[in-house]
Amino acid sequence: MNEVYESFVSAYERENGDLLSATLVPAPTRAQPTRLDDIARSSSVEGIDADVRYATIYNNHLPLEHAQKRIWHEIYVAYWHAVCAINYAEQLNLQFQGRHQEQVWSNAYEAWKEVSNALLKAYNVSNPFEVWTVPCLYIVGKHLRMFAIKADEETKRLREGGGNAALGVQSFGDDIATEQTEQENDKLEDAARLINRMFMLCYADRSSISESRKWAIYYISNLLFKTYFKLNKISLSENIIRSLEASTADMPPLSAFPKSHICTYHYYHGVILFLKEDYPKAEAHLVSALGLCPRTRSPSSLSSDATLAEDPAVTKNRRLILTYLIPTRLITSRKIPSFPSPKSSSHTSHTNTSNPLDDPHLTRLFRPLCLALRSGDLRAYDAALLAGEFEFIKRRIYLTLERAREICERNLLRKVRRIVSESGFPVPPGGRAENEAEGELRKRIEVNEFWAGLRVGLKGFLDVGQQVSGGVVDAAADGSDDAVMDGEDDQELEELDRDEAECIIANLICRGLIKGNINRYRGMVMMKAGDGAFPGTERSSRS
């Protein structure tokens, strides 16, 4: 604890909030790999009160009033007890590889909760801590949430009778919990209430901007977002957003806050809007988050000859943002991203690149979908959705990606139109306008021809033109079952009847993906001339 006391005095002399908060870190550091064990062995249960009293209350070098010294005495006594509980939990977990039968993390959480309560008390007295000390709230709130998650995982494992607890903590955004886990997070719910007190402590501060605790409000808000997402209570996050939007007049401008705080806030705000299906606003926040998220970090603690270093947390953060931004843009602007091939993606994954899509995980997840969208291969698109179903449902983007299937249908029908216009098929009566020359893209396409194309697309042929020119269109137009290829029995082809195909076309027209209308009397789809019949594809290469 001697190093803690020295840093504590130095932090107050220089009014350095980061240095002060570092004295409350309950984890090993690169400079002190045995920090927890050293602090636990530095005193005893009987002597810790007196040791801290001499270092705080009786320390004449501290530029503090007696009341604040007493609060710090209470904080550091609670901190020592918490470190002892955390150190014991870490050692027991290491010794038994997570198979111990004691609720050590629950005890560690309760001990750290005492530190949190003591720190909150310091900001609620008549002479509260100054604003430069708010980084202490960051450290205490962050680890409170971490210990709560570990305690709940430990409790769940013990309840189930053994097994390894998942002790890893993710850096930027945790998974959205499922409904089955809502009743298994007692400690995390308790932590959420305590972090919410920290939020109100900052939100209700009426001091001047230079001395206000509102400088910490976005960091605490992000902690609440992470906690509510883990608890599957995302609706509570909307209350936080409404509170922040209602008090913008009393707060510093958004650009004045640290970029890391605002980047995380934009990410969670964007995800919340995404889940509410407000895609245009979600896109704006996610784009802002991606712009603020760094690509690399400066190696402050590395060798002097290093210039840039990869940070797994940074890579993960950008990946999480793009996981929601890609489906969002498929809906808002119907833009299909271009992913590198898996081989080139793995080659560039260890080098600095300006392309945010050069990520092996994103390539594996979204590249098959994008290839199917571009080619209009409905079968491949459905297969890619099924292959990534677990991850898509986990991130709650499955339904949005399923809605993007209409882009695949549009591209397929565009390909069918080009094929029947250029392949020299016999034109049905009324199928070509009087002013249309042979070889031009027809303005009138029979519903039966589009129906045949959709059936072929469901079959999964990449070269739709070859199959259509082989007679599938004629068979479908006659209503014959010969549209099913010889030697194959495809239930999906038989399930799509003409009325369903016409409904698909009508929906595409309604959503603005096709410029035209359906003439049911003639069984024709009347479309705009040229590629303008399919908005968004005018400049795309023919595929």
Side-chain angles (χ1 to χ4, degrees):
M1 288 288 286
N2 289 332
E3 293 185 5
V4 172
Y5 301 146
E6 292 173 2
S7 298
F8 171 67
V9 174
S10 176
Y12 258 96
E13 289 176 348
R14 293 187 284 172
E15 295 189 354
N16 188 327
D18 292 332
L19 180 60
L20 182 64
S21 65
T23 65
L24 296 175
V25 172
T29 62
R30 183 174 298 181
Q32 294 178 289
T34 59
R35 174 183 174 88
L36 294 182
D37 198 52
D38 293 343
I39 292 176
R41 294 174 182 273
S42 65
S43 188
S44 62
V45 175
E46 297 81 8
I48 185 61
D49 185 88
D51 292 343
V52 176
R53 187 181 298 275
Y54 279 107
T56 55
I57 297 177
Y58 299 151
N59 190 340
N60 296 326
H61 298 287
L62 270 178
L64 290 174
E65 296 181 1
H66 182 75
Q68 290 193 352
K69 289 183 177 181
R70 293 184 63 87
I71 293 175
W72 277 114
H73 167 261
E74 182 180 354
I75 291 173
Y76 279 119
V77 170
Y79 173 74
W80 183 86
H81 286 287
V83 167
C84 290
I86 295 164
N87 187 50
Y88 178 69
E90 293 283 6
Q91 291 182 352
L92 202 65
N93 180 70
L94 183 64
Q95 181 180 356
F96 294 97
Q97 298 181 351
R99 300 177 186 272
H100 54 82
Q101 298 301 312
E102 298 182 42
Q103 289 190 324
V104 288
W105 283 114
S106 296
N107 297 335
Y109 168 77
E110 294 297 335
W112 192 252
K113 183 180 175 181
E114 293 299 319
V115 179
S116 305
N117 286 326
L119 185 62
L120 281 173
K121 187 190 300 181
Y123 291 98
N124 284 316
V125 294
S126 57
N127 186 19
F129 286 174
E130 298 178 7
V131 65
W132 62 268
T133 65
V134 293
C136 296
L137 289 174
Y138 304 165
I139 294 296
V140 171
K142 172 186 173 181
H143 287 88
L144 181 74
R145 177 179 164 277
M146 290 167 55
F147 297 145
I149 292 173
K150 291 183 178 183
D152 288 331
E153 289 173 347
E154 178 186 69
T155 302
K156 179 183 177 182
R157 177 182 60 81
L158 294 176
R159 187 185 300 122
E160 292 175 351
N164 286 321
L167 297 179
V169 180
Q170 300 181 353
S171 60
F172 185 63
D174 289 294
D175 303 337
I176 301 174
T178 57
E179 293 180 1
Q180 289 82 355
T181 61
E182 289 183 8
Q183 304 300 323
E184 301 172 353
N185 296 295
D186 294 338
K187 299 297 185 185
L188 192 58
E189 289 183 354
D190 185 57
R193 289 189 287 270
L194 200 53
I195 297 173
N196 191 62
R197 286 176 55 193
M198 296 181 185
F199 174 81
M200 294 306 301
L201 183 73
C202 300
Y203 181 79
D205 190 10
R206 294 294 179 264
S207 304
S208 62
I209 294 298
S210 60
E211 300 177 356
S212 176
R213 291 188 294 270
K214 288 185 177 179
W215 289 103
I217 199 166
Y218 280 105
Y219 187 96
I220 304 301
S221 298
N222 295 334
L223 279 181
L224 280 175
F225 290 151
K226 294 180 183 182
T227 307
Y228 290 149
F229 270 58
K230 190 73 174 178
L231 291 171
N232 198 30
K233 295 182 178 179
I234 302 175
S235 59
L236 295 178
S237 300
E238 298 179 36
N239 299 333
I240 302 298
I241 292 174
R242 282 194 291 268
S243 298
L244 292 174
E245 291 177 345
S247 62
T248 52
D250 301 328
M251 292 173 57
L254 204 61
S255 58
F257 287 87
K259 285 186 177 181
S260 59
H261 299 189
I262 304 307
C263 175
T264 309
Y265 173 75
H266 277 307
Y267 166 74
Y268 280 105
H269 197 172
V271 173
I272 292 166
L273 291 169
F274 176 91
L275 297 176
K276 294 174 63 179
E277 299 185 359
D278 191 348
Y279 297 114
K281 292 182 180 179
E283 180 182 10
H285 283 282
L286 291 171
V287 168
S288 298
L290 186 63
L292 290 169
C293 186
R295 293 183 177 88
T296 53
R297 65 179 174 88
S298 299
S300 56
S301 57
L302 302 179
S303 59
S304 58
D305 58 342
T307 56
L308 289 174
E310 290 186 356
D311 188 353
V314 169
T315 302
K316 177 177 176 291
N317 293 346
R318 294 177 65 82
R319 180 186 303 158
L320 282 170
I321 296 170
L322 289 167
T323 299
Y324 293 95
L325 183 57
I326 291 170
T328 300
R329 282 197 163 170
L330 286 176
I331 299 299
T332 57
S333 57
R334 301 186 178 96
K335 291 183 179 178
I336 305 173
S338 297
F339 284 91
S341 64
K343 185 176 181 179
S344 62
S345 178
S346 61
H347 174 72
T348 58
S349 61
H350 300 291
T351 61
N352 295 326
T353 175
S354 59
N355 186 2
L357 299 181
D358 285 341
D359 183 281
H361 179 80
L362 293 175
T363 301
R364 176 183 60 81
L365 206 58
F366 290 108
R367 188 171 184 268
L369 289 170
C370 294
L371 291 177
L373 285 173
R374 290 184 184 278
S375 63
D377 193 340
L378 295 174
R379 184 68 169 266
Y381 188 78
D382 294 340
L385 268 183
L386 184 62
E389 183 178 21
F390 176 79
E391 183 73 14
F392 295 149
I393 292 176
K394 177 182 177 183
R395 295 294 175 190
R396 297 194 178 186
I397 61 176
Y398 182 86
L399 293 179
T400 304
L401 291 173
E402 198 174 46
R403 284 183 58 180
R405 191 176 190 267
E406 62 191 17
I407 302 176
C408 193
E409 296 168 344
R410 176 201 66 181
N411 291 344
L412 175 60
L413 296 186
R414 174 174 171 266
K415 182 178 291 187
V416 170
R417 183 202 186 197
R418 193 182 71 245
I419 290 168
V420 299
S421 299
E422 299 175 353
S423 60
F425 289 167
V427 181
R432 189 181 298 280
E434 294 181 359
N435 59 346
E436 284 181 351
E438 186 175 349
E440 290 185 2
L441 293 176
R442 285 162 45 186
K443 298 178 184 179
R444 303 173 185 177
I445 304 293
E446 279 195 288
V447 173
N448 284 341
E449 291 173 324
F450 277 157
W451 175 30
L454 288 169
R455 297 178 77 182
V456 172
L458 285 171
K459 184 70 176 177
F461 298 121
L462 292 177
D463 188 357
V464 177
Q466 180 182 353
Q467 303 301 332
V468 172
S469 62
V472 181
V473 167
D474 296 334
D478 295 337
S480 171
D481 289 338
D482 294 337
V484 181
M485 301 305 294
D486 295 337
E488 297 187 21
D489 180 18
D490 197 316
Q491 184 179 1
E492 286 181 324
L493 282 173
E494 297 177 329
E495 287 179 352
L496 183 69
D497 58 29
R498 188 181 186 281
D499 290 338
E500 290 175 321
E502 188 173 332
C503 182
I504 290 174
I505 298 169
N507 283 333
L508 294 177
I509 293 174
C510 178
R511 293 182 180 276
L513 291 167
I514 296 179
K515 292 291 185 180
N517 60 79
I518 300 176
N519 188 328
R520 300 204 66 191
Y521 176 75
R522 293 189 176 186
M524 293 280 185
V525 181
M526 311 296 187
M527 292 179 295
K528 189 178 179 180
D531 270 341
F534 296 90
T537 64
E538 294 87 347
R539 297 184 180 180
S540 63
S541 60
R542 292 186 174 184
S543 54

Short mmCIF file of all heavy atoms in Angstrom, two decimals, residues 2 14 16 42 88 133 141 151 155 177 181 187 199 229 268 277 335 356 369 415 449 478 511 523:
data_model
loop_
_atom_site.label_atom_id
_atom_site.label_comp_id
_atom_site.label_asym_id
_atom_site.label_seq_id
_atom_site.Cartn_x
_atom_site.Cartn_y
_atom_site.Cartn_z
N ASN A 2 2.16 1.13 0.30
CA ASN A 2 3.00 2.34 0.35
C ASN A 2 3.02 3.06 -1.00
O ASN A 2 2.96 4.29 -1.06
CB ASN A 2 4.42 1.97 0.78
CG ASN A 2 4.50 1.59 2.25
OD1 ASN A 2 3.69 2.05 3.05
ND2 ASN A 2 5.46 0.74 2.60
N ARG A 14 -0.64 17.40 -7.71
CA ARG A 14 -0.68 17.82 -9.12
C ARG A 14 -2.10 17.92 -9.67
O ARG A 14 -2.27 18.28 -10.84
CB ARG A 14 0.13 16.84 -9.97
CG ARG A 14 1.62 16.85 -9.67
CD ARG A 14 2.37 15.98 -10.66
NE ARG A 14 2.21 14.55 -10.37
CZ ARG A 14 2.65 13.58 -11.18
NH1 ARG A 14 3.25 13.90 -12.33
NH2 ARG A 14 2.48 12.33 -10.86
N ASN A 16 -4.09 15.49 -10.49
CA ASN A 16 -4.08 14.56 -11.63
C ASN A 16 -5.11 13.47 -11.38
O ASN A 16 -4.90 12.56 -10.57
CB ASN A 16 -2.67 13.97 -11.80
CG ASN A 16 -2.54 13.16 -13.07
OD1 ASN A 16 -3.48 12.52 -13.52
ND2 ASN A 16 -1.35 13.20 -13.67
N SER A 42 0.44 -6.25 2.42
CA SER A 42 1.02 -5.05 3.01
C SER A 42 0.45 -4.71 4.38
O SER A 42 1.04 -3.89 5.10
CB SER A 42 0.78 -3.85 2.08
OG SER A 42 -0.60 -3.58 1.97
N TYR A 88 -7.89 -13.36 -3.47
CA TYR A 88 -8.24 -14.73 -3.08
C TYR A 88 -9.04 -15.41 -4.18
O TYR A 88 -8.82 -16.59 -4.50
CB TYR A 88 -9.03 -14.71 -1.77
CG TYR A 88 -9.48 -16.08 -1.32
CD1 TYR A 88 -8.56 -17.03 -0.87
CD2 TYR A 88 -10.83 -16.44 -1.34
CE1 TYR A 88 -8.97 -18.29 -0.46
CE2 TYR A 88 -11.25 -17.69 -0.94
CZ TYR A 88 -10.31 -18.61 -0.50
OH TYR A 88 -10.73 -19.86 -0.10
N THR A 133 -11.40 14.74 -9.92
CA THR A 133 -11.32 13.39 -9.33
C THR A 133 -12.31 12.42 -9.96
O THR A 133 -12.34 11.25 -9.57
CB THR A 133 -11.59 13.46 -7.82
OG1 THR A 133 -12.94 13.89 -7.59
CG2 THR A 133 -10.63 14.40 -7.13
N GLY A 141 -16.81 2.22 -11.20
CA GLY A 141 -17.98 1.73 -11.92
C GLY A 141 -17.65 0.61 -12.88
O GLY A 141 -18.39 -0.37 -13.00
N ALA A 151 -19.49 -12.70 -10.66
CA ALA A 151 -20.24 -13.29 -9.54
C ALA A 151 -21.48 -14.03 -10.05
O ALA A 151 -21.80 -15.13 -9.58
CB ALA A 151 -20.64 -12.19 -8.55
N THR A 155 -22.24 -17.98 -9.69
CA THR A 155 -23.46 -18.47 -9.08
C THR A 155 -24.20 -19.44 -10.01
O THR A 155 -24.71 -20.48 -9.57
CB THR A 155 -24.39 -17.29 -8.72
OG1 THR A 155 -23.70 -16.41 -7.83
CG2 THR A 155 -25.66 -17.78 -8.06
N ALA A 177 -28.17 -10.11 -23.93
CA ALA A 177 -28.56 -11.33 -23.23
C ALA A 177 -29.85 -11.89 -23.81
O ALA A 177 -30.66 -11.19 -24.41
CB ALA A 177 -28.75 -11.04 -21.74
N THR A 181 -31.54 -15.72 -19.55
CA THR A 181 -30.56 -15.26 -18.57
C THR A 181 -31.06 -14.09 -17.74
O THR A 181 -30.32 -13.59 -16.90
CB THR A 181 -29.27 -14.84 -19.30
OG1 THR A 181 -29.58 -13.77 -20.18
CG2 THR A 181 -28.67 -15.99 -20.08
N LYS A 187 -26.56 -9.97 -9.24
CA LYS A 187 -25.48 -9.03 -8.91
C LYS A 187 -25.39 -7.91 -9.94
O LYS A 187 -25.16 -6.75 -9.60
CB LYS A 187 -24.13 -9.76 -8.81
CG LYS A 187 -24.08 -10.83 -7.73
CD LYS A 187 -24.25 -10.23 -6.34
CE LYS A 187 -24.07 -11.30 -5.27
NZ LYS A 187 -24.33 -10.79 -3.92
N PHE A 199 -24.77 7.92 -12.33
CA PHE A 199 -25.30 8.73 -13.42
C PHE A 199 -26.09 9.92 -12.88
O PHE A 199 -25.91 11.06 -13.34
CB PHE A 199 -26.19 7.87 -14.32
CG PHE A 199 -26.89 8.64 -15.40
CD1 PHE A 199 -26.24 8.98 -16.57
CD2 PHE A 199 -28.21 9.06 -15.23
CE1 PHE A 199 -26.88 9.71 -17.57
CE2 PHE A 199 -28.86 9.79 -16.21
CZ PHE A 199 -28.19 10.11 -17.39
N PHE A 229 -27.69 -3.76 -21.74
CA PHE A 229 -27.64 -4.72 -22.84
C PHE A 229 -27.40 -6.13 -22.31
O PHE A 229 -27.99 -7.10 -22.78
CB PHE A 229 -26.54 -4.33 -23.82
CG PHE A 229 -26.99 -3.41 -24.92
CD1 PHE A 229 -27.57 -2.18 -24.62
CD2 PHE A 229 -26.86 -3.75 -26.24
CE1 PHE A 229 -28.00 -1.32 -25.61
CE2 PHE A 229 -27.28 -2.91 -27.25
CZ PHE A 229 -27.86 -1.69 -26.94
N TYR A 268 -23.71 2.76 -29.08
CA TYR A 268 -24.88 2.22 -28.39
C TYR A 268 -26.16 2.93 -28.81
O TYR A 268 -27.22 2.29 -28.94
CB TYR A 268 -24.68 2.30 -26.87
CG TYR A 268 -23.81 1.19 -26.35
CD1 TYR A 268 -22.49 1.42 -25.99
CD2 TYR A 268 -24.30 -0.10 -26.25
CE1 TYR A 268 -21.69 0.40 -25.53
CE2 TYR A 268 -23.51 -1.14 -25.79
CZ TYR A 268 -22.20 -0.88 -25.44
OH TYR A 268 -21.40 -1.90 -25.01
N GLU A 277 -35.65 -0.19 -35.37
CA GLU A 277 -35.87 -0.12 -36.82
C GLU A 277 -35.94 1.32 -37.34
O GLU A 277 -36.56 1.58 -38.37
CB GLU A 277 -37.12 -0.91 -37.24
CG GLU A 277 -37.03 -2.39 -36.91
CD GLU A 277 -38.21 -3.17 -37.44
OE1 GLU A 277 -39.11 -2.56 -38.04
OE2 GLU A 277 -38.23 -4.40 -37.26
N LYS A 335 -26.92 -0.31 -50.46
CA LYS A 335 -25.57 -0.43 -50.96
C LYS A 335 -24.97 -1.76 -50.50
O LYS A 335 -25.02 -2.09 -49.32
CB LYS A 335 -24.70 0.73 -50.46
CG LYS A 335 -25.07 2.08 -51.06
CD LYS A 335 -24.13 3.16 -50.57
CE LYS A 335 -24.48 4.52 -51.19
NZ LYS A 335 -23.60 5.58 -50.68
N PRO A 356 -11.97 -0.64 -43.76
CA PRO A 356 -12.48 -1.26 -42.53
C PRO A 356 -13.06 -2.64 -42.77
O PRO A 356 -13.29 -3.38 -41.81
CB PRO A 356 -13.56 -0.27 -42.07
CG PRO A 356 -13.99 0.43 -43.31
CD PRO A 356 -12.78 0.52 -44.18
N LEU A 369 -23.22 -13.40 -48.16
CA LEU A 369 -24.47 -12.67 -48.35
C LEU A 369 -24.35 -11.64 -49.47
O LEU A 369 -25.23 -11.52 -50.33
CB LEU A 369 -24.88 -11.98 -47.06
CG LEU A 369 -25.36 -12.86 -45.90
CD1 LEU A 369 -25.48 -12.03 -44.63
CD2 LEU A 369 -26.70 -13.48 -46.24
N LYS A 415 -31.76 -9.09 -63.87
CA LYS A 415 -31.02 -10.01 -64.75
C LYS A 415 -31.98 -10.72 -65.70
O LYS A 415 -31.67 -10.89 -66.89
CB LYS A 415 -30.25 -11.02 -63.89
CG LYS A 415 -29.41 -11.99 -64.68
CD LYS A 415 -28.64 -12.91 -63.76
CE LYS A 415 -27.56 -12.17 -63.01
NZ LYS A 415 -26.70 -13.11 -62.25
N GLU A 449 -42.64 -14.58 -67.01
CA GLU A 449 -41.19 -14.60 -67.21
C GLU A 449 -40.46 -14.27 -65.91
O GLU A 449 -39.45 -14.90 -65.58
CB GLU A 449 -40.83 -13.59 -68.31
CG GLU A 449 -41.31 -14.01 -69.69
CD GLU A 449 -41.11 -12.95 -70.74
OE1 GLU A 449 -41.24 -11.75 -70.43
OE2 GLU A 449 -40.83 -13.32 -71.90
N ASP A 478 -46.24 -21.89 -69.29
CA ASP A 478 -47.34 -22.81 -69.55
C ASP A 478 -47.92 -23.39 -68.27
O ASP A 478 -48.88 -24.19 -68.33
CB ASP A 478 -46.86 -23.96 -70.44
CG ASP A 478 -46.46 -23.45 -71.83
OD1 ASP A 478 -46.96 -22.37 -72.19
OD2 ASP A 478 -45.67 -24.13 -72.50
N ARG A 511 -41.86 -0.72 -52.63
CA ARG A 511 -40.69 -0.24 -51.89
C ARG A 511 -39.74 0.58 -52.76
O ARG A 511 -38.68 1.00 -52.29
CB ARG A 511 -39.94 -1.43 -51.28
CG ARG A 511 -40.73 -2.15 -50.20
CD ARG A 511 -39.92 -3.30 -49.61
NE ARG A 511 -40.67 -3.99 -48.58
CZ ARG A 511 -40.75 -3.62 -47.32
NH1 ARG A 511 -40.13 -2.52 -46.92
NH2 ARG A 511 -41.45 -4.32 -46.44
N GLY A 523 -51.30 -9.42 -67.82
CA GLY A 523 -50.26 -10.24 -67.19
C GLY A 523 -48.88 -9.70 -67.44
O GLY A 523 -47.92 -10.48 -67.62
#
